């Protein structure tokens, strides 16, 4: 079984920083795109950032210039460095990864359980 384990969430004051980590484990043949999503209470889930297997990145306009997504392929891990945090960044953050667990079948997306990020005023 493939599992994504997230860490790094917590409570931080506005203007502070946090780094989220998400490590994939299990039967992994290949990991393609990885990404981070977030969902605030009463709001739709939104894409925060993505990173391809070749390390090409994309960001939501709301976080561009403040957040940085990166990955360590040797560790099957994706990171989200969050700087200059704002109260509107408060949400549950989820990581996702497009993972092939077999050489015989097409990859599919897996999701972490989510980690709470709270930014106080």
């Amino acid at each position: 079984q493939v599992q994504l384990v997230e860490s790094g969430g917590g409570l931080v004051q506005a203007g502070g920083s946090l780094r989220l980590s998400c490590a994939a484990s299990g039967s992994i043949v290949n990991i393609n795109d990885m990404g981070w999503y977030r969902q605030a209470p009463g709001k739709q889930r939104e894409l925060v950032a993505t990173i391809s297997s070749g390390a090409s990145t994309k960001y939501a306009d709301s976080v561009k210039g403040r957040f940085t997504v990166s990955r360590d392929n040797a560790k099957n891990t994706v990171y989200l460095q969050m700087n200059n945090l704002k109260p509107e960044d408060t949400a549950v953050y989820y990581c996702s990864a497009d993972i092939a667990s077999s050489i015989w079948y097409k990859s599919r997306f897996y999701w972490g359980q989510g980690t709470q990020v709270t930014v106080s005023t």
Side-chain angles (χ1 to χ4, degrees):
Q1 295 182 351
V2 172
Q3 184 177 13
L4 299 180
V5 180
E6 301 163 325
S7 62
L11 175 65
V12 65
Q13 292 184 338
S17 298
L18 286 173
R19 189 178 79 154
L20 306 183
S21 300
C22 178
S25 62
S27 300
I28 299 172
V29 175
N30 180 258
I31 302 179
N32 300 308
D33 289 1
M34 307 182 82
W36 292 91
Y37 296 77
R38 69 185 182 186
Q39 187 167 22
K43 295 185 179 295
Q44 295 284 108
R45 183 200 68 177
E46 65 174 340
L47 179 66
V48 177
T50 62
I51 182 167
S52 72
S53 60
S56 296
T57 59
K58 294 182 179 180
Y59 298 91
D61 288 342
S62 59
V63 307
K64 192 173 184 179
R66 299 187 297 119
F67 291 10
T68 303
V69 63
S70 61
R71 64 191 288 168
D72 185 336
N73 292 330
K75 297 181 178 180
N76 293 329
T77 299
V78 61
Y79 305 94
L80 185 67
Q81 178 66 47
M82 304 184 293
N83 297 327
N84 191 25
L85 283 161
K86 303 176 180 180
E88 51 263 44
D89 294 319
T90 295
V92 177
Y93 284 70
Y94 302 89
C95 69
S96 67
D98 183 18
I99 298 174
S101 60
S102 169
I103 62 171
W104 299 108
Y105 299 102
K106 190 177 185 296
S107 63
R108 54 154 287 192
F109 278 91
Y110 293 83
W111 292 85
Q113 293 184 322
T115 184
Q116 177 70 47
V117 172
T118 302
V119 184
S120 63
T121 58

